[in-house]
Amino acid sequence: MNSPQFNTIVIAVVVIVVLVVLALIVNAFNRRRTRRLRAQFGPEYDRTVALAGGHRSKAEARLAERSERVHKLNVRPLNLAERERFVEEWGRVQAHFVDAPAGAVAEADQLVGDVMAECGYPIGEFEERAADISVDHPVVTQNYRAAHEIALRQAGGRATTEELRRAMIHYRALFDELVALPRTTEARPVAGATVDEIDISQRRRAS
């Protein structure tokens, strides 16, 4: 029964089995990569997939490249002296919001950029900065994008005071992660009042 036809059938079956096994391995690898990237990037994962037109493999390749690029950078946490200096600067910016909301938002944007640079992130175009920061701070990257959009509207004179207040809150979310401060530091005298407290203070002055 060792005919050429029988051998051909055996070879075909073996090839099919090998292909099926390889397909299963590739599929398992892709699922693991998807889970890992989803866990790492959170909402940034869905945003990247949407920007890729729903092409998941293309989006995941971009995220993997982004992660690899940032991990090659000399990104480091701030030391104690740097933290204290930046917290004091944030306190001044936040207090400035009471009398000059637009100016305070511009200062907050600059201060966040200064902290990023101190940590070792390259300071280029906004989308590059947001992409880099999303590798280690994916959730608050959404705050950063929202704050930047408001800052752009303010540059054109189209942002309301309430939007500027939200921008300060968004910048603060990223700032807190970059300087690794717990939320309880909101009450520290050096940092001044929170943006919510500033809003209340404004209302009291107006009344």
Side-chain angles (χ1 to χ4, degrees):
M1 295 297 296
N2 194 21
S3 66
Q5 184 178 5
F6 176 79
N7 290 337
T8 301
I9 294 174
V10 171
I11 293 173
V13 170
V14 171
V15 169
I16 291 172
V17 170
V18 169
L19 291 176
V20 169
V21 171
L22 288 176
L24 291 173
I25 292 173
V26 170
N27 189 45
F29 172 81
N30 288 337
R31 286 201 305 271
R32 283 198 299 271
R33 184 174 73 164
T34 296
R35 287 196 299 268
R36 177 175 57 81
L37 290 173
R38 274 188 178 279
Q40 178 182 357
F41 285 96
E44 188 73 5
Y45 177 93
D46 294 326
R47 180 181 183 276
T48 306
V49 171
L51 289 176
H55 297 289
R56 193 177 304 277
S57 59
K58 183 184 297 184
E60 291 181 350
R62 291 175 182 174
L63 291 172
E65 290 173 2
R66 183 188 305 184
S67 182
E68 183 178 355
R69 182 183 70 249
V70 171
H71 287 157
K72 290 179 180 179
L73 300 175
N74 187 28
V75 176
R76 63 172 182 83
L78 299 176
N79 60 41
L80 181 59
E82 291 166 339
R83 287 191 181 103
E84 291 180 349
R85 173 167 58 87
F86 282 123
V87 169
E88 289 180 2
E89 290 183 24
W90 178 266
R92 287 192 289 270
V93 171
Q94 193 162 263
H96 191 200
F97 183 89
V98 175
D99 298 314
V105 167
E107 292 170 4
D109 180 76
Q110 179 62 50
L111 180 56
V112 167
D114 291 344
V115 177
M116 289 174 61
E118 194 74 41
C119 289
Y121 291 100
I123 302 302
E125 296 296 325
F126 172 78
E127 282 302 326
E128 294 177 357
R129 298 200 307 271
D132 288 343
I133 208 72
S134 73
V135 174
D136 299 317
H137 307 278
V139 176
V140 293
T141 298
Q142 309 308 306
N143 298 77
Y144 189 33
R145 294 185 192 280
H148 182 70
E149 289 177 4
I150 295 173
L152 290 179
R153 286 203 298 276
Q154 171 55 34
R158 300 188 303 275
T160 66
T161 301
E162 175 58 25
E163 288 175 327
L164 295 174
R165 188 183 74 86
R166 288 204 305 270
M168 290 292 290
I169 293 173
H170 290 321
Y171 280 126
R172 179 62 184 265
L174 176 56
F175 177 84
D176 278 356
E177 283 210 10
L178 289 173
V179 299
L181 290 173
R183 289 291 181 177
T184 53
T185 56
E186 296 258 359
R188 285 178 58 178
V190 70
T194 66
V195 178
D196 289 331
E197 290 168 348
I198 288 171
D199 184 50
I200 294 171
S201 175
Q202 285 181 310
R203 293 175 184 174
R204 286 176 178 170
R205 289 187 179 188
S207 61

